[in-house]
Amino acid sequence: MTDFCKTPAQIAKDLNKTIKPALAYFKPPENLLVDQWADEYRVLSPETSAEAGPWRTERTPYLREPMRAFNDPKVHRITMVAGSQVGKTELELNIMGYVMDQIPGTIMYVHPNLGVAKKFSRERIKPMLRDCKKLNKKVHNTKAKEGSNTILQKTYPGGILTICGSETASDLCSTPARIALGDERDRWPKSAGDEGDPWELLLSRQITFYNHKAVEVSTPTIKGESAIEASFMEGTQERWYHQCPHCGEYVNITFNHIKFDFTSKIVNKKEIYNIHFIAFACPHCGVMSSEDEMRKQPAKWIAENPDAYEKGHRSFWLNAFSSPWLTWRKIIERFLSSRKDPAKLKVVYNTLFGELWEDRGDMADEDEMLKRREEYDSEFLPDGVLALTCGVDTQDDRLEYEIVGFGLYGETWGIKKGYIMGRPDTPEVWKRLDDAINHVYYRKNGKGLKVTITCVDSGGHFTHEVYEQCRLRQNQRVFPIKGKGGENIPFVGKPNKVFIKGNKKKFVWLYSIGVDAGKTIIMDNLRVQEPGAKFCHFPSNEERNYDLNYFNGLLSEKLSLIKTKSGKRWAWEKLPGHRSNEALDCRNYALAAFRIWDPDLEAMREYLLEPINKKPKVVHKKATRRVTKSRLLDGGDW
């Protein structure tokens, strides 16, 4: 039937049929945020998820805020640094699906290289478009040979999704994009051909869009070379904090705060680990909490650089300890099985701990130091020890100490590493420290030494308690110290008089310690390979506690050149694979105590080598010259 033969009703019907699909493009978006859209429409595909089915943000509550940041008109850049299996890629997929369905625009999705981009399109994007009904209706379902829908390009009403590799400069430079998504940023090349930084090229395509958004995610890699680390530092620097069920403080669960015990055995030439205990130790109160307890606690993002929000950049850092798909036991098992292989350990730190890796350089490792240990005589001090000092590190739930022996020319001996469990504000803990520093260590000739000076860390949550306990022990030469980091700070400064809680009748002498200078001395001495000047001796006797944990702490830091807002500077930073640095701190404080004392070791050597029951010789005045000459020739001691 020709048009002029149609009735007005038929013409109106045909017109509505023609116009209706076009008008659908002008339909306003639903009043949904990204996370709400995902909860309503997103479907996880069975090929890509262990929990196929409707998306539930409550399963990964830490992703809610990064997703909502996308809807914030003040935010134009989002950075997510995260380990594996926490959902960082799902964050970008949810954003991509939301844009396609609700606020259409051009999307540029960039991967490390073209091969990864194609694989991602086939294995992640295609299943999502297939299983999500809202997206399936909108993305043109045509054959790949037709230009509207290929592996690297998807069209939908109001926009185009372009997928490419970061090494393809032509793609990055040619297509304007309101939405930029970057996956695994730390695996991108530093330059796209000869064009420069791929990420900067991508951002330059957004200049004309007032409502542009850029989202980049990655697992971290090597410190100082990580692009995602640099981006994170420019943003709000937010970390996922859980509330401690005991003290109520919010804490970031990291590997350094995870405590565990294990045993191992060799089966078919392979080391098998049996983990007996895993818990989180709150850095504020020191109380242990189980994994189940911490997972049930309230959690939130806390920003270290909130001012960056005004610049429109929010950045987030997350590790696998918060992942609903990985138990802490599995993470620790991966760590134990990888800890002796730096290449494998690097993967664990990047992908599970969500931390940057840093090479040790020319420093020895724990296994080498264990092999260097010596069997001490269990009853007597080593012959070269002429003086004893003690360094004490204060923690919320314990005191850790090391008694160190000093000899001529900087040679040292580890004497005892100890742990005194209990809060530092309880008298019992300090009484047990008295037992350690008042103990008499004898030499083979019967003469004994006690700890002459003890330096106690006054930092942390028990500063005034440390001051008071040190005041009560000033006659034992127990002094509080305050560590200061940074270049050009002298190792030992002059003491200052500090009054106890404002009482001018009670005071204590507080020493300022340049901890970086002390660490430099310790690490230089550890490099000495032969006994003698500056060599560090360590005992293999089990009761002295110089085990793997001790050396893990002693070798926990490295001097690195770091970037700051004012330029570059040298600083000591913790190395990957090291849970704590208390052993290094204790050794540092013991060395500071020796520098404060500054004894005449030659004179002490003469005294200590003298037999304890030696009777003074009676020498007649006329024979003095002859006897003196004889003692010198015989090599006798004065």
Side-chain angles (χ1 to χ4, degrees):
M1 182 184 295
T2 58
D3 290 343
F4 58 83
C5 295
K6 290 184 179 180
T7 65
Q10 290 175 321
I11 294 173
K13 183 178 180 181
D14 292 343
L15 188 61
N16 286 335
K17 185 178 180 180
T18 303
I19 295 176
K20 186 176 180 180
L23 291 177
Y25 294 166
F26 298 95
K27 183 179 180 181
E30 298 176 68
N31 188 23
L32 296 174
L33 302 176
V34 174
D35 61 300
Q36 295 169 337
W37 177 89
D39 286 331
E40 184 72 21
Y41 300 117
R42 177 78 196 281
V43 176
L44 295 174
S45 304
E47 302 101 311
T48 61
S49 176
E51 298 180 2
W55 168 271
R56 293 175 296 157
T57 303
E58 64 180 19
R59 191 80 170 103
T60 54
Y62 45 79
L63 291 181
R64 188 180 303 278
E65 195 64 26
M67 283 192 282
R68 292 196 171 187
F70 185 85
N71 293 106
D72 189 338
K74 292 187 68 174
V75 175
H76 293 282
R77 187 171 175 182
I78 300 169
T79 301
M80 169 68 82
V81 190
S84 298
Q85 299 187 49
V86 297
K88 63 181 183 297
T89 301
E90 300 300 337
L91 165 69
E92 290 192 311
L93 288 173
N94 285 343
I95 289 173
M96 183 183 75
Y98 175 83
V99 172
M100 287 178 166
D101 184 42
Q102 298 292 311
I103 52 170
T106 302
I107 304 172
M108 178 75 79
Y109 202 156
V110 185
H111 295 266
N113 57 63
L114 190 59
V116 173
K118 291 180 178 179
K119 182 178 180 182
F120 188 86
S121 179
R122 289 191 299 264
E123 298 181 0
R124 301 299 296 272
I125 295 179
K126 182 180 178 180
M128 182 185 75
L129 298 178
R130 178 198 66 206
D131 297 332
C132 182
K133 293 181 180 179
K134 290 278 285 186
L135 300 179
N136 186 274
K137 293 178 180 178
K138 293 195 172 186
V139 177
H140 289 177
N141 188 20
T142 54
K143 295 181 180 180
K145 64 181 181 179
E146 298 179 22
S148 60
N149 188 0
T150 66
I151 292 176
L152 297 178
Q153 192 173 79
K154 312 291 181 184
T155 62
Y156 48 90
I160 300 174
L161 166 66
T162 300
I163 309 162
C164 66
S166 60
E167 81 280 26
T168 314
S170 58
D171 290 339
L172 298 176
C173 297
S174 61
T175 307
R178 180 166 66 87
I179 310 298
L181 304 178
D183 196 30
E184 292 300 343
R185 274 275 284 121
D186 270 10
R187 288 164 177 76
W188 290 19
K190 292 185 178 181
S191 179
D194 297 327
E195 300 291 338
D197 184 357
W199 181 250
E200 293 301 323
L201 290 174
L202 184 57
L203 295 183
S204 68
R205 308 312 302 161
Q206 298 186 298
I207 294 176
T208 58
F209 297 95
Y210 75 92
N211 56 349
H212 61 89
K213 302 281 184 176
V215 184
E216 53 182 330
V217 304
S218 183
T219 52
T221 52
I222 299 174
K223 189 170 185 62
E225 300 179 14
S226 171
I228 201 70
E229 177 202 13
S231 181
F232 173 82
M233 296 302 291
E234 294 173 2
T236 50
Q237 300 176 27
E238 301 177 49
R239 296 180 188 269
W240 187 243
Y241 280 69
H242 290 73
Q243 188 177 39
C244 173
H246 305 284
C247 68
E249 294 287 341
Y250 276 84
V251 291
N252 181 25
I253 300 177
T254 64
F255 178 61
N256 291 334
H257 297 142
I258 300 293
K259 308 299 179 183
F260 58 92
D261 292 327
F262 69 95
T263 56
S264 63
K265 59 181 179 180
I266 304 299
V267 178
N268 296 327
K269 298 183 179 181
K270 183 178 180 181
E271 192 168 12
I272 305 298
Y273 298 95
N274 184 17
I275 302 173
H276 308 294
F277 168 81
I278 303 177
F280 170 77
C282 175
H284 297 284
C285 65
V287 180
M288 301 283 192
S289 302
S290 68
E291 178 180 357
D292 288 339
E293 287 178 308
M294 293 307 297
R295 288 190 183 278
K296 293 175 182 177
Q297 288 301 109
K300 62 182 179 180
W301 291 100
I302 296 179
E304 298 176 12
N305 183 33
D307 292 344
Y309 175 72
E310 298 302 322
K311 299 178 181 178
H313 187 179
R314 292 190 67 178
S315 57
F316 306 88
W317 197 303
L318 187 69
N319 61 46
F321 287 108
S322 298
S323 171
W325 301 291
L326 277 175
T327 64
W328 292 2
R329 180 175 294 275
K330 287 183 179 179
I331 297 173
I332 300 304
E333 286 174 350
R334 284 282 305 277
F335 165 74
L336 291 174
S337 62
S338 305
R339 63 192 177 94
K340 295 182 179 180
D341 186 333
K344 292 181 179 179
L345 188 60
K346 177 180 179 294
V347 175
V348 171
Y349 260 74
N350 292 163
T351 61
L352 298 180
F353 298 167
E355 295 183 15
L356 295 156
W357 177 262
E358 187 169 4
D359 294 327
R360 184 189 298 276
D362 61 346
M363 283 300 300
D365 60 20
E366 295 93 323
D367 291 334
E368 291 180 49
M369 297 306 297
L370 286 171
K371 293 176 183 178
R372 269 176 50 172
R373 294 181 303 170
E374 313 159 27
E375 182 73 23
Y376 287 7
D377 190 314
S378 59
E379 298 182 14
F380 303 111
L381 282 173
D383 292 336
V385 176
L386 304 175
L388 297 176
T389 67
C390 181
V392 182
D393 185 68
T394 307
Q395 296 292 317
D396 289 342
D397 63 343
R398 68 191 184 281
L399 297 180
E400 289 196 25
Y401 69 89
E402 184 184 14
I403 296 172
V404 180
F406 293 85
L408 295 173
Y409 315 117
E411 195 168 7
T412 61
W413 286 259
I415 303 301
K416 177 70 179 293
K417 178 69 169 65
Y419 307 85
I420 302 174
M421 302 307 297
R423 288 169 58 94
D425 58 353
T426 56
E428 293 78 11
V429 169
W430 294 91
K431 288 178 182 178
R432 291 178 60 192
L433 180 63
D434 288 338
D435 294 338
I437 62 180
N438 291 329
H439 181 81
V440 179
Y441 295 85
Y442 287 99
R443 299 172 61 85
K444 291 180 181 178
N445 63 359
K447 290 195 174 182
L449 286 175
K450 291 201 304 184
V451 171
T452 303
I453 288 187
T454 301
C455 284
V456 184
D457 171 34
S458 64
H461 299 96
F462 298 96
T463 299
H464 292 291
E465 287 80 4
V466 171
Y467 288 167
E468 175 61 20
Q469 294 297 333
C470 289
R471 185 190 70 83
L472 296 174
R473 291 165 175 77
Q474 288 189 95
N475 63 327
Q476 299 170 245
R477 297 183 182 177
V478 177
F479 299 109
I481 57 128
K482 181 179 181 181
K484 288 186 177 181
E487 297 180 78
N488 303 319
I489 296 178
F491 186 24
V492 176
K494 294 181 179 180
N496 295 314
K497 185 183 290 187
V498 178
F499 294 99
I500 307 298
K501 293 184 178 179
N503 188 338
K504 292 189 177 182
K505 293 183 179 180
K506 296 181 179 180
F507 66 88
V508 69
W509 292 104
L510 175 68
Y511 282 88
S512 177
I513 303 299
V515 291
D516 286 2
K519 290 173 183 177
T520 300
I521 296 170
I522 293 169
M523 295 303 173
D524 286 345
N525 291 352
L526 289 174
R527 290 184 172 92
V528 178
Q529 299 296 314
E530 297 295 332
K534 297 185 178 182
F535 185 78
C536 300
H537 299 263
F538 299 99
S540 59
N541 310 55
E542 186 176 352
E543 70 277 5
R544 296 179 186 262
N545 294 322
Y546 287 84
D547 53 12
L548 180 64
N549 287 331
Y550 170 82
F551 290 111
N552 185 273
L554 183 66
L555 303 173
S556 61
E557 297 186 20
K558 177 187 176 183
L559 189 61
S560 303
L561 188 62
I562 64 172
K563 296 179 181 179
T564 65
K565 293 180 179 180
S566 58
K568 294 183 179 180
R569 66 179 180 86
W570 289 97
W572 287 92
E573 295 186 312
K574 189 173 290 186
L575 285 164
H578 299 265
R579 301 171 59 195
S580 62
N581 63 349
E582 285 86 354
L584 176 58
D585 288 340
C586 289
R587 175 59 65 119
N588 207 356
Y589 304 153
L591 177 60
F594 180 76
R595 292 296 181 89
I596 292 170
W597 179 16
D598 193 22
D600 183 347
L601 292 181
E602 287 286 0
M604 296 188 70
R605 177 176 178 273
E606 291 186 12
Y607 166 74
L608 291 171
L609 289 178
E610 200 173 82
I612 193 168
N613 295 321
K614 180 178 179 180
K615 295 181 180 180
K617 293 183 179 180
V618 179
V619 181
H620 295 289
K621 189 173 182 180
K622 63 180 181 180
T624 300
R625 184 176 182 84
R626 181 179 58 80
V627 173
T628 302
K629 182 178 180 182
S630 174
R631 290 183 64 195
L632 287 171
L633 290 173
D634 294 338
D637 294 324
W638 287 89

